[in-house]
Amino acid sequence: MNKLKNITLNEYINYLFVLYAFLLPISRAGISILTISLFILWLFTKDFKSKIEFIKSNKVILYFLAFIGFSLLSLFWSNDVISGLEYVRKYWYFLVILVIATTIQKRFVEYGISAFLTGLFISEILSYSIFFELIQWKNVSPNDPTPFMNHLQYSMFLAFASLLLLNRFFYENKMKWKVIYFLYFLIITSNLFLNGGRTGQAAFAVSIFVVGFLNVKNKIIALLSMFALVLSIFYTAYHVSPVFKTKFDTSINEIHKISQGSFCTSFGARLGLWIIGGEIFLQNPIIGTGVVKDMNDFVKIVEESYPNKDCIKHLPSYHNFYVQTAVHLGIIGLFLYLMIFYNLLKLKIQDRYYFTLMVIFVSVYSVSSLVENMFHEQFSAALLALFSGIFIAQNRIENEV
């Protein structure tokens, strides 16, 4: 009891942070409850004023706030304020960045990352169990075994986690842990290709080269070794995973249909969305149309000018956060969004392991956002909040020493 009494509010926050990281891959309710709990506790910490001063000095946080602030400001020229408020409402998940960045202590940084991997491991056990039809989980199909979230988001989680472990493999000196990390890397990568999320697979294929270039001194060897690894993984997945084989064959067929002018496929629909989104952006290039949840402007243009793309007018978003931001917020909004990641990469982190992990994370998240609105979905927004906060905290910790 005496030990509990001696624990400060900041320490309670650190322990809750580890729980937040653990629950992030497996619980929507956990994300929501802990986001608000951490933020409320943070408001009552004794050193709150110094934390505000730190926030004022951190460009990553300032650009987060500027982007969200400009989104709110755009309601003044949005054609549906209520819908726009509903759209912006999801950004409250980013409140936890303020807490993590200013409060997390050195030893809890790695605890948080390990807790995240543990939570994801539980998700993977369920995913494999669903795939091999050992259990039935809600309405999840064995052909797309994603137990807790949309398969596009899940694939991004798996892509990042697999490369996180590969990065750990390069930095670990003990052979026992090297073997463990590489085996877990293979388990997560296998799960990535058993699922139907091509988003994460594409992010993995691109970002694994980042891992190689950052960890192997000879860049030619890095290029060739990562290329060989990607080729062997994709070749094995094609011949072992029926889901990946179907998706790969479908992708080739979709590209052929696009060349013939058909947009009524997954890839074709996205391309059609981006083309029309670009047209809407050019009509309002500086400040955009204002944030809005519906796609009424898009539907109107499809009906008036693109009858051959009529099959895509029912889609709920542009499936590309860069296009969606450009349409809603124009060049100003897109600039603010890109500056979040630019300043994240500019963080001065001396610990090479965390620096490389930061670059890998930005790569995976940026590529994934090309085909899905990751910034605007609960799980993927929380993932960005967690690791952005961790990298800012690491930068703060190093400067405090």
Side-chain angles (χ1 to χ4, degrees):
M1 286 296 292
N2 289 331
K3 286 184 178 180
L4 286 175
K5 288 181 181 178
N6 291 330
I7 294 177
T8 65
L9 192 53
N10 278 336
E11 288 174 319
Y12 276 120
I13 289 172
N14 275 264
Y15 286 114
L16 283 179
F17 155 73
V18 176
L19 180 61
Y20 173 84
F22 170 72
L23 291 176
L24 194 153
I26 59 178
S27 175
R28 289 185 181 277
I31 292 171
S32 299
I33 292 169
L34 284 170
T35 295
I36 194 66
S37 299
L38 284 164
F39 184 70
I40 291 172
L41 288 174
W42 179 74
L43 293 174
F44 292 95
T45 52
K46 289 183 179 179
D47 54 345
F48 182 71
K49 287 185 179 179
S50 65
K51 289 172 181 175
I52 294 299
E53 291 303 314
F54 174 78
I55 287 170
K56 289 179 181 178
S57 69
N58 187 271
K59 289 186 178 180
V60 179
I61 297 176
L62 290 178
Y63 275 108
F64 261 109
L65 296 174
F67 178 80
I68 295 170
F70 189 66
S71 297
L72 286 167
L73 183 65
S74 77
L75 293 173
F76 285 105
W77 58 88
S78 170
N79 60 21
D80 189 339
V81 174
I82 301 301
S83 174
L85 280 171
E86 179 66 19
Y87 183 88
V88 176
R89 181 183 63 84
K90 287 190 175 183
Y91 292 153
W92 77 274
Y93 294 115
F94 292 119
L95 286 174
V96 79
I97 292 178
L98 306 177
V99 183
I100 298 171
T102 60
T103 312
I104 301 310
Q105 299 166 6
K106 183 176 181 179
R107 64 193 175 100
F108 284 94
V109 172
E110 192 56 38
Y111 291 167
I113 295 175
S114 297
F116 167 76
L117 289 173
T118 304
L120 192 64
F121 184 67
I122 292 172
S123 177
E124 284 196 272
I125 291 172
L126 288 172
S127 181
Y128 276 113
S129 298
I130 295 166
F131 178 78
F132 289 110
E133 300 185 62
L134 300 176
I135 62 169
Q136 288 186 333
W137 184 265
K138 300 177 182 178
N139 296 318
V140 179
S141 167
N143 292 323
D144 193 16
T146 54
F148 297 107
M149 65 185 86
N150 178 291
H151 68 271
L152 297 173
Q153 296 167 49
Y154 189 53
S155 68
M156 183 185 72
F157 271 66
L158 293 173
F160 172 62
S162 67
L163 297 177
L164 186 161
L165 289 162
L166 187 60
N167 192 53
R168 277 191 175 184
F169 169 83
F170 280 107
Y171 282 90
E172 181 57 54
N173 294 318
K174 295 180 180 179
M175 183 55 64
K176 179 184 75 171
W177 285 106
K178 273 186 174 290
V179 172
I180 290 172
Y181 290 146
F182 193 74
L183 287 176
Y184 192 13
F185 162 77
L186 293 177
I187 291 170
I188 292 184
T189 304
S190 299
N191 195 3
L192 172 63
F193 288 92
L194 289 177
N195 285 276
R198 289 175 288 190
T199 300
Q201 293 162 6
F204 174 86
V206 172
S207 302
I208 196 170
F209 287 95
V210 176
V211 179
F213 283 122
L214 290 173
N215 288 293
V216 179
K217 289 184 179 180
N218 188 311
K219 303 311 174 189
I220 295 176
I221 292 176
L223 177 64
L224 294 176
S225 60
M226 291 302 114
F227 182 77
L229 184 57
V230 168
L231 196 63
S232 61
I233 289 171
F234 274 72
Y235 178 83
T236 303
Y238 185 82
H239 288 88
V240 172
S241 171
V243 176
F244 179 74
K245 184 179 187 304
T246 300
K247 288 283 186 178
F248 186 86
D249 292 341
T250 300
S251 299
I252 300 300
N253 186 46
E254 288 178 357
I255 292 171
H256 177 66
K257 286 184 177 180
I258 292 171
S259 68
Q260 294 180 328
S262 173
F263 290 85
C264 297
T265 63
S266 179
F267 278 168
R270 281 177 166 81
L271 183 60
L273 285 164
W274 304 340
I275 290 171
I276 297 170
E279 184 173 319
I280 298 172
F281 162 71
L282 291 174
Q283 293 173 3
N284 309 273
I286 306 301
I287 60 173
T289 62
V291 292
V292 66
K293 190 176 181 182
D294 61 53
M295 295 279 283
N296 291 339
D297 290 341
F298 172 81
V299 171
K300 185 178 179 181
I301 289 181
V302 171
E303 291 176 343
E304 291 177 353
S305 307
Y306 295 93
N308 65 321
K309 298 182 179 66
D310 188 68
C311 58
I312 67 173
K313 69 180 184 181
H314 66 282
L315 294 171
S317 73
Y318 289 96
H319 285 280
N320 180 315
F321 198 71
Y322 305 101
V323 173
Q324 185 128 328
T325 300
V327 170
H328 286 173
L329 302 173
I331 291 173
I332 294 175
L334 185 59
F335 170 78
L336 293 174
Y337 176 72
L338 293 174
M339 287 300 287
I340 293 171
F341 296 94
Y342 173 73
N343 282 284
L344 197 57
L345 290 173
K346 281 189 69 180
L347 285 175
K348 293 181 179 179
I349 296 178
Q350 300 299 322
D351 189 311
R352 187 70 182 171
Y353 165 73
Y354 287 106
F355 174 78
T356 55
L357 185 60
M358 178 178 67
V359 178
I360 293 163
F361 178 80
V362 170
S363 176
V364 170
Y365 205 92
S366 299
V367 174
S368 298
S369 295
L370 286 169
V371 289
E372 189 55 35
N373 295 331
M374 295 300 179
F375 195 86
H376 194 254
E377 299 298 333
Q378 184 191 29
F379 279 108
S380 47
L383 182 71
L384 177 58
L386 173 66
F387 280 95
S388 294
I390 284 174
F391 299 135
I392 298 169
Q394 180 63 28
N395 167 259
R396 186 200 82 239
I397 291 164
E398 290 183 359
N399 287 322
E400 286 174 348
V401 175

